[in-house]
Amino acid sequence: MKVVIAGGGAVGRHLAIDLADRGHQVTLIDQNAAAIEKIGAHGQEVTLVHGDACEPWVLEAAQAAQADVAVAVTGDDEDNLVISLLAKQEFGVPRVLARVNHPKNEWMFQEQWGVDAPISPPHIITSLVEEAVTVGEAVRILPLAGGAMSVVELKLPRDSRQAGKSLSQLTLPPDAAILALVREDHVVIPQPETVLVGGDEIVALVSPAAEGALQDAVLGAN
């Protein structure tokens, strides 16, 4: 896979190194030559481009038109939006990811700006904290399709009245599907006859409008 990364800060450099170590073809762009040179010994594995990724000629030099994925992880939200829009509309990159530095700007990181998936570290951390402490509520883990769908997790209380029911007995909303169950650190592939057990962690795909109905169906309406 060919990946173009805009932003040679700590996040961009570590992402470039990690992807290169996994065998992907990686190009890293930054207008600060000293920043991208910090990639050190991995420079032989990562193609380095010195320039402002908001400029089309720089993305062209990075061969963005041949990229499978573009990732904008600069420290400036405005730059990340411009880079995303150029990558998607001018260079036709199939998948564009963009870092959200300030959560108040996350509403702008949508498909109309070329962003297929926003990356908001504060919201990710919040989700992980909620995942660790929340029982009996749906926790949104990952937005998909520009927010039209989300991967959510629901943890069944140990004394849940739903325990002992099979998945076929649950009345799920149309825009929801159970993807997996995590039980005692093991993944259970859901089947209609799979029986729920107290303490199960249920991973589901759902639209925002159907989250409440999914929670009622899986956890039991109050």
Side-chain angles (χ1 to χ4, degrees):
M1 182 170 64
K2 179 173 175 56
V3 183
V4 172
I5 301 171
V11 173
R13 291 197 307 273
H14 288 297
L15 178 61
I17 291 169
D18 189 26
L19 289 171
D21 285 343
R22 295 168 185 257
H24 300 294
Q25 184 182 350
V26 182
T27 299
L28 178 63
I29 307 170
D30 199 280
Q31 55 187 334
N32 184 346
I36 57 178
E37 286 172 1
K38 290 181 181 179
I39 203 164
H42 286 80
Q44 295 180 347
E45 304 168 20
V46 177
T47 301
L48 305 178
V49 174
H50 179 209
D52 183 354
C54 292
E55 298 287 346
W57 70 266
V58 175
L59 290 173
E60 185 174 356
Q63 298 183 336
Q66 284 77 52
D68 299 294
V69 181
V71 188
V73 287
T74 77
D76 188 293
D77 285 345
E78 182 177 339
D79 285 352
N80 288 341
L81 285 172
V82 171
I83 294 164
S84 298
L85 189 63
L86 287 172
K88 179 66 71 174
Q89 293 194 358
E90 298 297 323
F91 294 92
V93 180
R95 183 161 178 79
V96 178
L97 313 179
R99 176 185 179 183
V100 184
N101 294 283
H102 301 289
K104 67 179 181 179
N105 295 332
E106 188 169 4
W107 67 273
M108 293 187 293
F109 285 69
Q110 303 291 336
E111 287 184 357
Q112 56 263 39
W113 276 96
V115 179
D116 292 304
I119 306 164
S120 177
H123 286 183
I124 292 171
I125 293 171
T126 299
S127 294
L128 291 173
V129 170
E130 288 183 329
E131 179 185 3
V133 301
T134 303
V135 176
E137 293 183 12
V139 177
R140 195 173 301 175
I141 302 299
L142 178 68
L144 298 173
M149 300 293 288
S150 295
V151 177
V152 300
E153 181 184 41
L154 307 96
K155 188 167 185 178
L156 209 62
R158 292 287 178 184
D159 59 352
S160 172
R161 57 188 174 186
Q162 300 294 79
K165 290 186 178 180
S166 66
L167 295 182
S168 62
Q169 292 178 278
L170 304 181
T171 306
L172 300 178
D175 291 342
I178 294 177
L179 305 179
L181 284 74
V182 180
R183 181 178 297 164
E184 297 180 355
D185 297 327
H186 295 287
V187 175
V188 177
I189 304 301
Q191 304 293 336
E193 64 273 15
T194 300
V195 173
L196 292 172
V197 175
D200 279 352
E201 296 177 27
I202 297 126
V203 180
L205 182 66
V206 64
S207 68
E211 281 187 21
L214 171 69
Q215 182 169 308
D216 288 345
V218 174
L219 302 176
N222 294 329

